[in-house]
Amino acid sequence: MLSLKKYLTEGLLQFTILLSLIGVRVDVDTYLTSQLPPLREIILGPSSAYTQTQFHNLRNTLDGYGVHPKSIDLDNYFTARRLLSQVRALDRFQVPTTEVNAWLVHRDPEGSVSGSQPSSGLTLESSSGLQDVTGPDNGVRESETEQGFSEDLEDLGAVAPPVSGDLTKEDIDLIDILWRQDIDLGAGRETFDYSHRQKEQDVDKELQDGAEQDDTWSGEGAEALARNLLVDGETGESFPAQFPADISSITEAVPSESEPPGLQNNLLSPLLTGTDSPFDLEQQWQDLMSIMEMQAMEVNTSTNEILYSAPPGDPLSTNYSLAPNTPINQNVSLHQASLGGCSQDFSLFSPEVESLPVASSSTLLPLVPSNSTSLNSTFGSTNLAGLFFPPQLNGTANDTAGPELPDPLGGLLDEAMLDEISLMDLAIEEGFNPVQASQLEEEFDSDSGLSLDSSHSPSSLSSSEGSSSSSSSSSSSSSSSSSSSSSSSSSSASSSFSEEGAVGYSSDSETLDLEEAEGAVGYQPEYSKFCRMSYQDPSQLSCLPYLEHVGHNHTYNMAPSALDSADLPPPSALKKGSKEKQADFLDKQMSRDEHRARAMKIPFTNDKIINLPVEEFNELLSKYQLSEAQLSLIRDIRRRGKNKMAAQNCRKRKLDTILNLERDVEDLQRDKARLLREKVEFLRSLRQMKQKVQSLYQEVFGRLRDENGRPYSPSQYALQYAGDGSVLLIPRTLADQQARRQERKPKDRRK
DNA sequence: ATTAGTTGTCATAAT
DNA sequence: GGATTATGACAACTA
């Protein structure tokens, strides 16, 4: 529960941040284009901006504006327009991604239909096989550069038209490389799935020949790949055809050789070198990542992907790399609230993380509309944006200003955003803002319930389980609780806390889930014990064979032999020897108290002694003339018997609580890792946004001219953004003063 | 023979 | 206050 709350809180915070970012962006946009009423309306306007149509209208308006430039200074106009487009690109990162997605989507069906492997289906097998050819380095690098490649590849793949032709050795190598990369892209997650499921699939395949193409691709394709590198050709898919094209395009783009390492370097280089991004942030991420790794194994894959997924690189890559962030918007947006927190919980997460490597793929496509809506709402709800404007004014903030120009925007972003982020951290780490918590609690509860039904979210499971088991753990309900817990464990192991939440989201989270699920599976023995204990519930005693034996056997005082014969083997088997053996066996089966009872000639069963209600028990005792020793023994038997049950229940409960705690810990760790990942994500996107805004600021500022046509000195003047959407060019000193003023206000508000 | 896990029992506190 | 339950500790048993 708590984790959920945290999550949602953070989601809101992130949402806020995004809003602010967007608001900033829009604002700049407005300024740049001098007058864009729609934008301002969105920023400052009320709920109207929430409607999707509104948003689209906005877009249309904007586009229309671009299409029909009015008589303006052409130079300014085009500049402004270009800047505007850039700014717009900030919230449109997904567009290129969308294209890529479409490509991927098409591809999969092809593979499945053809019955051969989609490139995504190649998975690790192929990659490993390729590694032999390409060289040892690849294996290592592959993981590192996985994401970067993915992006590049996506681009290439999306662009490259399918072409067929003969393949040279180099071509093949290139193809292999591409494939492998592609695999990383398309199948990064599926790979895991595949590895997990491979055996099953193989078995299934053997059992049902070529029943399903999906199976066939995974099975045959993998085998084929393992056998031969050229399997591509064997599969006869479109791939072989595609890849030559890819090669050509790649070779053009990358003059260097087909040498795997070389190619990788080439592919990688733009990402790494081209990035204007200072590596401090990267390092932060890495630090975070290392922490995450230490704390949760699960994070590894995803983290790597994150780390390398979006190394901001060439302009394209930066733009595209932003795409992953957009899912965040979606997730954070109202959708989340409506869809249910738990599933969303991870969907929020998985999509971004997963979508990154996979080209932020297919998931994005369907989400685009929602995304737009979310953005729209984002715009609309910009009272938040209003919150961020003041910080913007702070402008001259300490934080990284551009080398050339002191960057008010940079300061704005840094201060406002990072401040918020830090607040977010505080909120998360220190517990919940009570107000937020109270507000969100209901949603969470309902959400968890929903998610529990639809998608087994980890947190929901744990919480519900914990509550149910703990509350109802007493004897009578123990069986049910045990079953529930066991079932939950199994579910966690199989579908595994499907953190994916939303349907489209698979992959990373899945793999994580699997890993975690494995961990959970490790506790199965305990579960078995647990179940064992549970079925010893007093209420179910009579149903259990073993206990039944005990019960019947203890009627030995009355008619042991008859009972024995009835209970045990058929009459035919009742020979003397077997009888004796059975007697021995029964003797062994009897507890000490039973033996004692027999020795003392107690006239009723231990079962009765133990389980009868006090009144009946007393009645029973009153019916017989019992010696003091017998009475004492009977009381002891009763006491011990009850205690025995109590001990069993106690142990069961204890185990139950331990397991629940364990699950809680896992959930918390997962949440923590997820939050860290998200944090990293946002930091990165923040960074990119900041860079964008910075460059835009510089560009705008650089184009400003005074009456004499001379540029303004950055050291003396600065652009300032007012809350009403206007932009002012003011002296630095004034800007600084205002910045300080503005600085205090928001902080006061917060307190 | 050692060991870890399980189960029963006792003592005691809590209900 | 007695009965019942819960639980820690110990010992016996088992694999």
Side-chain angles (χ1 to χ4, degrees):
Chain A
M1 264 314 185
L2 189 61
S3 61
L4 282 177
K5 293 174 188 173
K6 282 183 180 178
Y7 164 74
L8 198 132
T9 299
E10 199 200 19
L12 288 178
L13 287 171
Q14 292 166 350
F15 187 56
T16 301
I17 291 171
L18 285 175
L19 285 177
S20 67
L21 287 174
I22 291 168
V24 170
R25 173 186 62 73
V26 172
D27 210 25
V28 172
D29 193 352
T30 307
Y31 302 148
L32 292 180
T33 59
S34 68
Q35 298 280 346
L36 283 182
L39 280 178
R40 196 176 301 160
E41 178 181 344
I42 284 170
I43 296 170
L44 304 175
S47 61
S48 63
Y50 279 100
T51 64
Q52 200 170 9
T53 54
Q54 183 71 15
F55 184 103
H56 291 311
N57 289 340
L58 162 67
R59 292 219 156 197
N60 294 337
T61 305
L62 289 176
D63 293 341
Y65 174 82
V67 172
H68 305 289
K70 295 161 187 174
S71 60
I72 311 174
D73 176 357
L74 280 184
D75 187 18
N76 286 341
Y77 168 72
F78 284 119
T79 300
R81 196 179 166 209
R82 184 169 55 81
L83 294 175
L84 174 60
S85 66
Q86 286 187 30
V87 172
R88 266 199 234 132
L90 286 176
D91 79 331
R92 270 208 251 160
F93 332 115
Q94 72 270 24
V95 171
T97 320
T98 301
E99 295 174 0
V100 173
N101 290 341
W103 177 66
L104 288 174
V105 167
H106 279 291
R107 231 178 26 178
D108 266 340
E110 282 181 5
S112 63
V113 170
S114 63
S116 53
Q117 286 187 341
S119 60
S120 63
L122 291 177
T123 72
L124 290 179
E125 258 77 355
S126 64
S127 68
S128 62
L130 291 173
Q131 283 178 8
D132 297 340
V133 177
T134 54
D137 282 354
N138 297 338
V140 177
R141 284 200 183 185
E142 189 176 334
S143 60
E144 294 177 352
T145 60
E146 186 174 324
Q147 190 46 44
F149 283 153
S150 67
E151 289 181 359
D152 283 352
L153 280 180
E154 290 172 4
D155 293 345
L156 292 175
V159 174
V163 177
S164 62
D166 294 341
L167 301 179
T168 66
K169 224 287 185 182
E170 288 185 356
D171 290 344
I172 292 173
D173 288 345
L174 274 176
I175 291 172
D176 291 344
I177 294 165
L178 288 174
W179 262 36
R180 189 174 60 243
Q181 295 165 349
D182 200 26
I183 290 159
D184 293 342
L185 289 178
R189 211 148 293 102
E190 297 171 3
T191 296
F192 291 94
D193 277 350
Y194 179 78
S195 61
H196 281 281
R197 291 190 232 125
Q198 187 175 9
K199 290 183 179 179
E200 290 184 5
Q201 289 180 344
D202 288 346
V203 174
D204 291 343
K205 202 185 64 181
E206 291 177 0
L207 292 179
Q208 2 169 334
D209 274 350
E212 293 183 357
Q213 292 175 344
D214 294 340
D215 289 345
T216 53
W217 72 255
S218 61
E220 292 179 1
E223 293 175 358
L225 282 176
R227 273 185 259 122
N228 192 344
L229 292 177
L230 293 178
V231 180
D232 352 352
E234 292 182 1
T235 55
E237 301 174 357
S238 55
F239 298 114
Q242 276 186 344
F243 279 30
D246 289 348
I247 293 167
S248 63
S249 62
I250 287 176
T251 49
E252 290 178 2
V254 180
S256 69
E257 318 316 63
S258 60
E259 283 289 329
L263 176 61
Q264 286 182 341
N265 286 336
N266 288 329
L267 289 176
L268 189 57
S269 59
L271 295 175
L272 294 179
T273 59
T275 47
D276 40 358
S277 67
F279 273 83
D280 52 353
L281 189 70
E282 295 287 346
Q283 221 148 15
Q284 273 188 346
W285 297 350
Q286 281 197 339
D287 291 345
L288 287 174
M289 291 313 169
S290 61
I291 294 172
M292 291 161 58
E293 287 180 2
M294 291 177 62
Q295 290 172 342
M297 301 282 295
E298 42 184 19
V299 190
N300 284 341
T301 54
S302 60
T303 51
N304 287 336
E305 290 174 354
I306 289 175
L307 273 180
Y308 299 99
S309 66
D314 49 359
L316 277 181
S317 68
T318 50
N319 282 341
Y320 290 27
S321 63
L322 286 176
N325 297 332
T326 56
I328 296 172
N329 281 339
Q330 304 158 357
N331 293 330
V332 179
S333 68
L334 300 177
H335 266 286
Q336 187 167 354
S338 62
L339 289 182
C342 296
S343 58
Q344 288 290 330
D345 182 341
F346 263 100
S347 71
L348 186 161
F349 211 66
S350 53
E352 40 179 299
V353 176
E354 298 169 1
S355 62
L356 287 181
V358 186
S360 48
S361 47
S362 53
T363 58
L364 287 182
L365 183 54
L367 289 179
V368 169
S370 66
N371 188 4
S372 63
T373 58
S374 68
L375 287 178
N376 191 1
S377 62
T378 297
F379 282 105
S381 61
T382 35
N383 29 357
L384 292 176
L387 290 179
F388 286 90
F389 276 89
Q392 295 177 9
L393 295 179
N394 296 342
T396 55
N398 37 4
D399 202 304
T400 73
E404 302 172 356
L405 294 173
D407 181 13
L409 281 179
L412 165 179
L413 284 175
D414 286 337
E415 272 202 80
M417 304 296 138
L418 296 179
D419 227 9
E420 284 306 311
I421 288 178
S422 62
L423 281 179
M424 193 170 67
D425 291 342
L426 285 179
I428 291 171
E429 293 174 1
E430 296 177 358
F432 242 20
N433 176 344
V435 178
Q436 288 177 334
S438 62
Q439 290 177 345
L440 299 178
E441 200 156 5
E442 291 182 3
E443 290 184 19
F444 270 127
D445 288 345
S446 63
D447 286 351
S448 67
L450 288 175
S451 65
L452 190 71
D453 290 342
S454 60
S455 65
H456 314 268
S457 89
S459 47
S460 69
L461 267 181
S462 66
S463 62
S464 66
E465 247 179 42
S467 62
S468 68
S469 63
S470 63
S471 64
S472 65
S473 60
S474 63
S475 61
S476 65
S477 65
S478 64
S479 65
S480 64
S481 67
S482 70
S483 65
S484 69
S485 64
S486 64
S487 66
S488 66
S489 69
S490 64
S491 69
S492 68
S494 63
S495 76
S496 74
F497 299 177
S498 63
E499 302 164 337
E500 308 135 289
V503 177
Y505 307 148
S506 59
S507 55
D508 246 356
S509 64
E510 233 174 52
T511 61
L512 293 180
D513 294 347
L514 287 175
E515 294 176 359
E516 294 166 0
E518 289 178 356
V521 173
Y523 297 101
Q524 278 186 336
E526 292 184 353
Y527 275 110
S528 67
K529 304 172 193 173
F530 175 66
C531 295
R532 230 165 120 198
M533 294 171 67
S534 70
Y535 70 54
Q536 293 179 355
D537 268 16
S539 58
Q540 297 184 348
L541 283 177
S542 57
C543 303
L544 299 169
Y546 167 81
L547 292 174
E548 213 168 337
H549 271 300
V550 173
H552 285 291
N553 291 339
H554 299 324
T555 59
Y556 55 86
N557 285 328
M558 312 297 287
S561 61
L563 286 172
D564 289 350
S565 62
D567 277 351
L568 290 173
S572 62
L574 286 179
K575 297 177 181 177
K576 294 180 182 178
S578 65
K579 257 189 180 178
E580 290 177 0
K581 286 179 183 176
Q582 290 169 10
D584 292 344
F585 178 77
L586 291 175
D587 282 348
K588 288 178 182 176
Q589 289 282 306
M590 282 191 295
S591 67
R592 291 176 235 164
D593 276 340
E594 287 158 359
H595 283 289
R596 288 180 203 137
R598 176 193 269 175
M600 294 288 285
K601 297 179 180 175
I602 306 290
F604 29 78
T605 66
N606 282 22
D607 186 31
K608 281 185 179 178
I609 294 175
I610 295 171
N611 292 322
L612 280 181
V614 201
E615 296 178 1
E616 294 182 33
F617 176 67
N618 288 333
E619 276 184 35
L620 189 64
L621 289 184
S622 64
K623 287 178 187 173
Y624 298 86
Q625 286 283 359
L626 297 172
S627 67
E628 197 56 36
Q630 280 178 320
L631 285 176
S632 159
L633 176 60
I634 288 174
R635 292 207 176 83
D636 280 348
I637 287 172
R638 186 175 172 89
R639 177 178 49 80
R640 280 194 287 263
K642 288 198 173 297
N643 187 249
K644 186 174 157 185
M645 310 298 299
Q648 288 171 348
N649 286 333
C650 182
R651 284 170 177 141
K652 183 191 79 64
R653 240 190 327 268
K654 198 185 286 182
L655 182 62
D656 217 10
T657 58
I658 290 173
L659 292 177
N660 283 330
L661 286 175
E662 199 120 32
R663 256 194 305 275
D664 289 347
V665 169
E666 289 175 7
D667 290 342
L668 289 176
Q669 284 177 342
R670 233 191 316 252
D671 287 344
K672 184 176 181 179
R674 178 178 52 78
L675 292 175
L676 279 174
R677 270 182 282 170
E678 287 179 352
K679 182 180 178 181
V680 167
E681 255 323 285
F682 282 111
L683 280 177
R684 194 186 51 158
S685 65
L686 230 181
R687 232 190 138 300
Q688 291 170 343
M689 294 281 217
K690 184 184 147 193
Q691 288 177 355
K692 280 273 179 191
V693 174
Q694 220 169 343
S695 63
L696 288 174
Y697 176 90
Q698 291 182 2
E699 203 151 355
V700 171
F701 190 88
R703 289 186 177 274
L704 290 177
R705 296 291 184 273
D706 59 11
E707 316 82 49
N708 301 327
R710 288 173 300 192
Y712 288 98
S713 165
S715 59
Q716 295 177 359
Y717 292 95
L719 286 178
Q720 193 168 67
Y721 311 90
D724 61 354
S726 62
V727 180
L728 300 177
L729 180 68
I730 62 174
R732 278 240 161 244
T733 54
L734 190 60
D736 290 345
Q737 289 178 1
Q738 289 187 1
R740 277 169 213 146
R741 267 182 240 148
Q742 296 287 347
E743 226 173 26
R744 291 165 202 158
K745 284 186 182 177
K747 288 187 178 177
D748 289 345
R749 283 179 200 164
R750 285 168 194 161
K751 292 173 185 175

